[in-house]
Amino acid sequence: MATSLLTKLYEYFFAPAVADPPLYEFPAGTNEDLEYADLAIIDLSKASTEQGRIELTEQVCRAMHETGFFYVVNHGYSTEQTRRIFSIANMTFDDVDDNEKTKYQAKAPDVYQGYKPKQTWLINNGVRDQIEHYNINKNVYEQEHPAILRPYLKHMDDFVRHNHMNIVHPILRILARGLGLPEETLVKQHQFDARGESSVRFMKYYNRTKDEEEKTKNVWLKGHHDIGSVTILWSQPVGGLQILSPDGKWRWVKHLDNALVVNAGDGIDFLCGGYYPPTRHRVIQPPKDQHHIDRLGLFYFSYADDDVELRPHAESPVLQQIGIKHLVAPGEAFPTMQQWRKGRVGSYGKTVLQEGKDKGVEEELVCGVVVKHYN
């Protein structure tokens, strides 16, 4: 074990420079006339100064409180760096054969790590997903990877750390300020070196048959909330992501070059007493002029540390004034992040859901909390 770790550290610091991966060409954007969600655009470079953080606190907290989604620009990665990571993501699917993918599939049913093959999740009417994942824990070097990825582990490690330290942590500081809490309150519950499952995900959506589209009403991933705290989606041109707007209408999320799409998940909902509620979102078939294109996704899913109890910060003066939304029934124990993650991941796409009270809503019970899925 120690020898293996030393070898990895040697490769990290002393390995010779490697050639860039095969260049991924971003597809053309859609020309369809779509109704897009109106999302705030946040300039994260302003977080480097106190005056900038004051300005961002008003913008970010309003966006997260009212919409649950916003764009981030000036996040510290150049267009070239972003393209390189997308290129690495693409070859993870296109240049690794099925036998090797099977070797690096997740070993545990309640952890996203390694490959998730297509046809794992039940979508609707007997139709299973056509979505492939490759999941990389924040501790990049503690996980075995396919041979084609090994020369690029330093790029992947840099990318993980950039997402966690330079994007998620500044956002968490701003969200804490918005609740009148000390800036480091949420950061302390999302430590990079602590035990947890924050991770990068490479994701590829493949085209489906006409019959599958009809049976699922073009839904590729049901309406849901994310499990973790803050999700970072690196924007790409192929449409499909929609959010449920406050007026009850599904609207598309527009692509912005080298921008991020940020949203809150269950972890923040628990910890912040419902002040930053997660917004339902789904993925549907891309616009008509992009039907023929496979959809490549790049994400960072941040989670609180495994041992963090998902208890609201009742000391927040904002929550004391407006009240706390309790997700856990009175007298019931608050789940830890690890318990919540395992419960959600272990059941997703595998549990037979029950019809909810509202039309088009299915429900399941996880850690004593009702979780809703939206068709």
Side-chain angles (χ1 to χ4, degrees), residues 232-368:
I232 310 297
L233 181 156
W234 290 69
S235 189
Q236 53 77 42
V238 182
L241 177 63
Q242 293 186 328
I243 68 171
L244 191 61
S245 300
D247 63 1
K249 188 170 184 177
W250 290 101
R251 289 183 170 87
W252 298 79
V253 175
K254 188 179 181 68
H255 166 63
L256 299 181
D257 287 340
N258 202 31
L260 313 175
V261 180
V262 177
N263 65 279
D266 293 339
I268 287 296
D269 197 23
F270 276 109
L271 293 172
C272 297
Y275 189 73
Y276 304 119
T279 293
R280 298 169 225 164
H281 54 286
R282 67 180 183 180
V283 178
I284 67 169
Q285 186 181 31
K288 188 174 180 180
D289 58 357
Q290 294 181 324
H291 278 185
H292 61 291
I293 305 172
D294 293 331
R295 186 173 183 269
L296 181 66
L298 178 59
F299 303 81
Y300 188 72
F301 293 98
S302 69
Y303 292 83
D305 307 336
D306 271 358
D307 62 357
V308 168
E309 189 178 54
L310 297 178
R311 179 187 295 273
H313 282 283
E315 72 275 22
S316 159
V318 174
L319 294 181
Q320 290 173 3
Q321 182 178 5
I322 68 172
I324 295 173
K325 181 186 79 173
H326 291 283
L327 299 177
V328 177
E332 295 292 327
F334 292 96
T336 63
M337 186 75 258
Q338 182 182 46
Q339 290 168 335
W340 182 252
R341 172 179 52 77
K342 285 189 171 185
R344 289 288 314 272
V345 173
S347 67
Y348 187 80
K350 303 160 193 170
T351 302
V352 177
L353 303 175
Q354 304 299 314
E355 287 294 328
K357 296 179 181 179
D358 300 325
K359 184 179 179 182
V361 178
E362 299 168 309
E363 298 178 348
E364 62 175 327
L365 198 65
V366 178
C367 298

